[in-house]
Each structure stands twice: as structure tokens, then as C-alpha cells.
Amino acid sequence: MKRTRTRAGRLLATCLATFLATLLVATGCGLNNGGSVPLGVGPGPSGTVPALEGVAVTVGGKDFTEGVISSYLVEFLLAAAGMEVSDMSSLAGSNSFRQALISGQVDIGMEYTGTAWMSYLGNEEPIRDPEAQWEAVRDADLEAHDIRWMRPTTVDNTYSFALNRATAEETGVSTFSDYARLVQTDPQSAVTCMETEFAVRRDGWPGLADAYGFDADAVPVSIMQPGIIYQATSTGRECRFGEVYVTDGRVKGLDLVVLKDDKRFFPVYNLATVVRGAYLDAHPELEEVLSPLVEVLTNDVMVELNMRVDVDGEDPALVARDFLVEQGLVSAG
């Protein structure tokens, strides 16, 4: 979805994405034309923004639940301001969105600070302070690509472990330091499920064990597909602990308890609006229109929105619009 790759893997993925984007432009299909906004919206209490009325904008995004919802939030706010919005909210993968933004096929969207820092900008080590990570990405992307990063939200779609409530009550584990103590005293009671990539990544299982001072080899580990881990952890039979993404809707839908990363080992993946520099210079009013997202989007909110799609089966466009209507930022068209 948005995780760090090896240097060779990043290079290959970037080259492939660039080739595909170029091919699509040359053949006149794919990324050239966005669709219309999926639902109508009207202005919020402050009305439209005169300087933006009728201005064309293309909003891009990624093809997983949180990526689609985030794109729709941007689209509806811009449409409510009076802009003519084209929807490219479900591009296949992070690199497709990134290349579309850099090439100018997309004007604006939402991205994760950790993804840009490590996957796009090629850094090997994350910056674990959220503000410092955002500042580093903001400065580097401005210099290299004239991509502007608006203030980030507190949404942080990073890794963690989760367990069901019965296991949490039985073990008393609520932090990774607690987990490390359990591993040291009774490793057989800490059966842990994770996906293949997490098991070998430096910012995954081996690094986690080093940071918290436990023996990774002592823990019974089961390798599973990500989607299976959530359900298996909820029953507590196959997985006492399971690797999760903290804003995944299944965390709340299955009533899982997420461990606190009390030593802040995992990278920061804060969600923020990104926009082409030339486009923002031409339309600086965008920052004020989209600034409410910084205030209203939190991990708890995003978990709820994701759950309504992934667990309850609701349409992501309806979920995004209803949320903005509830916040008083747009009216239903």
C-alpha cells in the first residue's frame, strides 16, 4: 500500500511506474481523463470562493479504502468551493499517483509523509518525530519536484500489533514494552501473526525486537496474508497478537486492542494534502479551503470512516460526503 521498499525495489517500481505513465499519455488513454465527482455537493456556510469558481482541478488518489476516502474528501471540499473537479481517485498504487502528480496529470491529492520520505525520496531511515518528518518531506519535495505539502493531519496509518480484548485482559499487555516483557517471561503465550514483508523488514519485526530488547527467535510466529490476520487475531486462537495498520477499519469493526508504540519505533505516516507548486501559486486559496481537514481528520475518525466501508459495506463517496456534511463543511447537493 504505502510501505518502504529496498533501494533496488524502489528504483524498479519507480521506473516501471514512469514507463506506464508515459505509455498511457502516448496512447491517449488511462490517466489522461478524469471522471466526474461521484456525488453532488453544495457550499458550506461560508459559500463558494469567488477566485476558484469554475476553475478546473484534477484530484488524484490511491486505490485502497483510505486512499479513496481521502480523495473524495478533497474533491467534495473543492467542488463546494465552486471548482470544476475531475476525479482520478483510484489510481493503481502509490507510484501511479506520484507520477501523475509530478507529470501534471493530477493537480492535487493526499499522501503520507513516511511514504514520500522513504519510497519516493529514497531515504533509508525514517524520522520518527511527526513534525520533523513533515518538515523534511516538505523541504525535500519542494526542492526536487516543486511539490507543496500542506500542514499534515494527525492521521498516522502506521504499523502496530493488535489483540482481542480477552487476551488483553488476560495478559495485561497494552504497550510494546509490555509485549516485550511477556516474550521474555512466557514466549509461548505470545504467538504472533504477521505478513511476509513485515517479518524481514528493518522497520518491521527484526528492528522491533532490537528496539524493545526481546529475542525475536523465541516468539512463535505465523506468516499470513494481511486480511486473514485481522480475523485470526479477533478469535485469539491462531493469533494472540497480529500485525495491523492502525487506521484499518477492521481494527474497530472486530473490536481489536492496538498496542501503544511507547518507544516510537515505527515510522510516521501522517496524511497530508500535496499539490503541484505551479497550481498552488496560481490558486493560493486552495490552502484555506482544505485547511479544515487538518482539524477534523484524526486516527479515530479515519478508523470510523474506513470501517463504514470495509466492515459495513457502505459506498466510500457517501461516507466521505456524509462526514463533511456532519462537520458543516459542505451541504448535500
Side-chain angles (χ1 to χ4, degrees):
M1 179 175 69
K2 57 178 179 54
R3 304 303 177 194
T4 312
R5 300 179 175 87
T6 62
R7 185 180 296 276
R10 287 197 301 269
L11 179 60
L12 176 61
T14 300
C15 290
L16 178 60
T18 303
F19 169 76
L20 290 175
T22 303
L23 179 63
L24 288 169
V25 172
T27 55
C29 61
L31 298 181
N32 279 321
N33 300 306
S36 59
V37 178
L39 295 171
V41 295
S46 59
T48 60
V49 178
L52 295 178
E53 289 182 4
V55 174
V57 61
T58 301
V59 179
K62 308 177 188 182
D63 62 347
F64 61 97
T65 299
E66 187 167 301
V68 174
I69 292 172
S70 300
S71 298
Y72 287 155
L73 292 174
V74 172
E75 290 183 19
F76 292 142
L77 284 173
L78 297 182
M83 301 188 77
E84 295 293 330
V85 181
S86 294
D87 169 33
M88 290 177 62
S89 59
S90 295
L91 298 176
S94 294
N95 281 310
S96 295
F97 170 64
R98 175 70 171 184
Q99 292 302 319
L101 183 66
I102 289 176
S103 69
Q105 293 169 296
V106 161
D107 299 310
I108 195 168
M110 297 199 83
E111 184 56 273
Y112 298 92
T113 55
T115 303
W117 182 248
M118 300 183 76
S119 294
Y120 304 150
L121 297 169
N123 296 283
E124 294 292 334
E125 294 295 332
I127 300 172
R128 292 186 170 88
D129 176 74
E131 183 75 10
Q133 178 69 97
W134 171 73
E135 290 176 351
V137 169
R138 176 199 62 189
D139 295 345
D141 233 359
L142 174 63
E143 180 178 357
H145 303 290
D146 196 25
I147 300 297
R148 311 289 177 84
W149 284 74
M150 297 184 187
R151 291 289 311 175
T153 70
T154 59
V155 174
D156 181 11
N157 190 5
T158 190
Y159 291 115
S160 190
F161 284 176
L163 61 166
N164 67 25
R165 293 200 177 273
T167 305
E169 292 174 4
E170 174 194 337
T171 61
V173 172
S174 62
T175 68
F176 276 100
S177 291
D178 295 336
Y179 174 84
R181 284 190 288 271
L182 180 66
V183 170
Q184 291 161 354
T185 58
D186 186 12
Q188 295 305 309
S189 68
V191 178
T192 303
C193 297
M194 61 191 71
E195 57 184 316
T196 302
E197 184 179 355
F198 182 85
V200 298
R201 290 164 55 102
R202 184 183 64 256
D203 59 340
W205 182 238
L208 182 70
D210 289 342
Y212 282 93
F214 64 86
D215 181 5
D217 294 332
V219 182
V221 170
S222 293
I223 302 299
M224 295 182 175
Q225 293 295 320
I228 300 174
I229 293 174
Y230 292 85
Q231 186 62 44
T233 303
S234 72
T235 66
R237 291 190 294 270
E238 296 174 88
C239 310
R240 300 265 283 176
F241 299 86
E243 170 217 344
V244 298
Y245 301 138
V246 298
T247 59
D248 194 294
R250 289 166 291 190
V251 170
K252 183 173 182 179
L254 295 170
D255 194 29
L256 300 179
V257 178
V258 176
L259 297 189
K260 181 180 179 181
D261 182 12
D262 48 313
K263 292 187 178 180
R264 299 175 69 178
F265 164 74
F266 290 114
V268 177
Y269 289 93
N270 285 136
L271 185 65
T273 302
V274 290
V275 58
R276 294 190 299 109
Y279 194 84
L280 184 59
D281 288 341
H283 308 291
E285 300 82 6
L286 288 171
E287 289 208 65
E288 184 174 354
V289 171
L290 296 175
S291 63
L293 293 178
V294 176
E295 301 300 324
V296 300
L297 286 183
T298 65
N299 269 19
D300 288 343
V301 166
M302 191 57 76
V303 167
E304 181 70 26
L305 299 181
N306 288 336
M307 185 185 71
R308 288 175 58 183
V309 176
D310 288 333
V311 178
D312 300 336
E314 296 185 44
D315 184 283
L318 280 171
V319 169
R321 189 184 69 173
D322 288 351
F323 173 72
L324 293 177
V325 171
E326 291 166 3
Q327 296 296 315
L329 298 173
V330 306
S331 56

